[in-house]
Amino acid sequence: MKTMYKRGFTLIEMLIVTVLLALVVGMIAYLFGSSVRSSTLARTRLELLENARSTLSYMSRFIRLAGIQPVDDAIETMDEHEIKFQADVDDDEVTDRFSFVFDPEAQSIIVTRWIKNAGGGFDPVGEPQVVMDNVTDLEFHYYTAENVETSDPDQLTSVEIEITLQPPTNISTVVREMAGEYKQSTRVYCPNLAWRLAAP
């Protein structure tokens, strides 16, 4: 009578199966990680775009009002990284003063607001506020009605704002490097400055 033997797995077969399983799991993990990175990268780039648009929109809303009556000096400061101007933004016949400035150490855009007091000076309205973080650069360029760049506040009719944002630090270094910096600009026409310039 013949005896039947059940054949088991050999050590080599077990090793081959283990290696194949490791390769399959590794490939799945790689594809999953790649998918997560791609999704995070797309989301990060979209956030940079939206943050740039909202920041430019916010700044433009106030800069556009520069020079609206009553003011003493429509434009007080106009340099590469700061603009300070006066405007009656509330339409209450009281002059407001605004400043948008780039703080390179904090990598932020800071807005400060003052209101004119009875003595002719300006009192701060609250504390300076951060408009946007993760800013690597903010530049202002100033133009005349003829679209020529100027440093003369009496010839100013429009302001170009250019901001450069970087991804937040709470995401992986790999995604931050892949996303890179995002730069966007807009030109703000200041009708009140143009009107004052055209007035006799």
Side-chain angles (χ1 to χ4, degrees):
M1 186 173 175
K2 229 174 187 183
T3 306
M4 301 290 297
Y5 293 97
K6 290 188 178 177
R7 186 175 177 274
F9 291 106
T10 66
L11 181 59
I12 293 176
E13 289 172 331
M14 292 292 290
L15 286 174
I16 291 173
V17 170
T18 302
V19 169
L20 289 175
L21 282 174
L23 287 173
V24 170
V25 170
M27 183 63 69
I28 291 173
Y30 173 79
L31 292 174
F32 178 75
S34 178
S35 174
V36 169
R37 278 194 301 273
S38 297
S39 175
T40 305
L41 177 60
R43 187 172 63 250
T44 299
R45 286 177 172 165
L46 180 60
E47 286 177 358
L48 288 174
L49 171 63
E50 290 176 347
N51 288 341
R53 283 181 176 173
S54 64
T55 301
L56 290 172
S57 176
Y58 175 82
M59 296 174 68
S60 298
R61 183 161 56 95
F62 292 105
I63 292 174
R64 188 174 287 112
L65 297 175
I68 193 169
Q69 300 290 350
V71 297
D72 299 319
D73 296 303
I75 303 294
E76 295 185 29
T77 302
M78 47 181 287
D79 63 31
E80 186 178 10
H81 298 298
E82 179 182 10
I83 183 171
K84 185 186 290 183
F85 57 93
Q86 295 180 15
D88 179 15
V89 298
D90 303 314
D91 196 25
D92 58 1
E93 299 186 2
V94 177
T95 304
D96 301 284
R97 172 196 278 167
F98 280 86
S99 168
F100 288 103
V101 62
F102 174 54
D103 183 345
E105 291 186 6
Q107 293 191 324
S108 301
I109 299 174
I110 308 295
V111 60
T112 307
R113 182 179 179 181
W114 299 263
I115 190 167
K116 195 170 187 179
N117 57 38
F122 285 88
D123 297 323
V125 179
E127 296 293 325
Q129 300 292 317
V130 174
V131 177
M132 180 55 62
D133 286 318
N134 299 312
V135 180
T136 56
D137 198 16
L138 168 69
E139 292 185 9
F140 294 104
H141 301 278
Y142 308 94
Y143 295 90
T144 66
E146 293 75 29
N147 202 33
V148 176
E149 199 160 355
T150 183
S151 58
D152 183 357
D154 294 329
Q155 297 299 313
L156 176 66
T157 59
S158 64
V159 180
E160 182 181 69
I161 315 168
E162 181 179 87
I163 62 173
T164 306
L165 303 179
Q166 65 180 354
T169 56
N170 62 350
I171 59 176
S172 72
T173 304
V174 174
V175 174
R176 292 184 81 238
E177 290 176 353
M178 290 174 66
E181 293 184 328
Y182 181 78
K183 183 179 291 187
Q184 189 169 344
S185 63
T186 189
R187 180 77 72 89
V188 183
Y189 177 69
C190 306
N192 303 292
L193 299 181
W195 178 83
R196 288 161 66 90
L197 186 62

